[in-house]
Amino acid sequence: MLPLFDNIPTRRLPLVTYGLIVANFAVWLWELGARAGRIDHYAFYPCAVTAPCLGAARDHVPWPEGTVTGMFMHASWVHILGNMLFLFIFGNNVEDVMGRLRFLVFYLAGGFAAALTQTWVTIHWSGPAAASIPTVGASGAIAAVLGAYLVLLPHARVFTLLFGFLPWRLSAGFFLIAWFVFQLWQSNFSATHPEQAGGVAFAAHVGGFVFGFLAIKLFQVRPPLEPRRR
């Protein structure tokens, strides 16, 4: 399911959401021109939290810094375009109910929750070798946005391409619960068979989503707007 837009307006321009998108693309362009070793240096490594790291992973920034820098890095065009599409569609309404500064704090906190969830799963199930693989991407922080959106706007309508080509309107509740169930299923699959996970940190998605779902009321200061009328 590929989301394209929803039917919920905002009170004002979502500057933080747009700023995060610009920042992610700026870092991606830097990645395209940087040496691989330099990129790996700024990634997040689960082993950095617990030690020891193996091989090239030993040359990493401290894990709190790596959590933030890794949150703005991506592995491919498909990776960043998919992440930024989800942030563009769902981030503006979450920012609207929180305000700009609260939303930025929430977004970064969601990224930390996601990274630490992935760390626990990797260390518990996979050991030092898997924990020494760099982790990059905004997916965990964006998953927190999705969890918050589910609480705020479960009855919103999301215009979606089913199977990549069939246009359809789905309730946000159905879309996001289906997305979460898939991540939950895949996170267990990737934990028990990490070599078959396709390089995706599914546990980070689960951790970020749960954080957003539980923390939204701590950050919310106003209700979302009503849906646009057709």
Side-chain angles (χ1 to χ4, degrees):
M1 297 185 293
L2 182 67
L4 297 179
F5 58 86
D6 65 5
N7 66 337
I8 308 297
T10 58
R11 294 172 177 85
R12 59 181 181 173
L13 196 67
L15 291 180
V16 173
T17 298
Y18 293 165
L20 288 169
I21 292 172
V22 170
N24 275 276
F25 275 113
V27 172
W28 172 242
L29 293 177
W30 169 78
E31 286 184 71
L32 292 178
R35 292 180 292 106
R38 188 167 180 80
I39 295 171
D40 292 343
H41 175 71
Y42 288 103
F44 171 76
Y45 292 86
C47 64
V49 179
T50 60
C53 288
L54 305 177
R58 287 176 291 189
D59 178 29
H60 59 73
V61 295
W63 74 264
E65 180 183 343
T67 303
V68 176
T69 54
M71 203 183 302
F72 288 87
M73 300 168 67
H74 290 82
S76 68
W77 277 108
V78 171
H79 191 198
I80 189 170
L81 290 174
N83 275 347
M84 294 305 102
L85 176 63
F86 272 75
L87 181 56
F88 177 77
I89 294 171
F90 298 105
N92 59 344
N93 298 112
V94 178
E95 179 181 343
D96 194 52
V97 305
M98 293 182 181
R100 290 165 178 160
L101 180 58
R102 283 173 175 263
F103 177 69
L104 179 60
V105 173
F106 170 85
Y107 181 90
L108 295 174
F112 271 87
L116 292 176
T117 301
Q118 185 65 47
T119 295
W120 185 87
V121 168
T122 303
I123 296 297
H124 183 75
W125 289 99
S126 302
S132 299
I133 297 173
T135 301
V136 297
S139 306
I142 295 169
V145 173
L146 302 186
Y149 193 103
L150 176 60
V151 175
L152 294 168
L153 292 160
H155 302 298
R157 308 299 290 181
V158 179
F159 187 84
T160 307
L161 291 180
L162 296 179
F163 311 111
F165 67 90
L166 180 64
W168 203 265
R169 285 185 181 271
L170 298 173
S171 72
F174 177 84
F175 179 90
L176 294 172
I177 290 172
W179 181 90
F180 178 70
V181 169
F182 177 76
Q183 307 305 313
L184 193 63
W185 171 59
Q186 288 286 0
S187 67
N188 179 65
F189 177 78
S190 62
T192 53
H193 298 84
E195 71 284 353
Q196 299 179 31
V200 180
F202 287 106
H205 301 176
V206 172
F209 190 94
V210 171
F211 170 83
F213 185 88
L214 296 177
I216 174 58
K217 295 302 181 182
L218 298 177
F219 290 85
Q220 182 180 0
V221 295
R222 60 183 68 91
L225 295 178
E226 294 296 319
R228 297 184 183 92
R229 299 192 179 277
R230 299 181 61 182

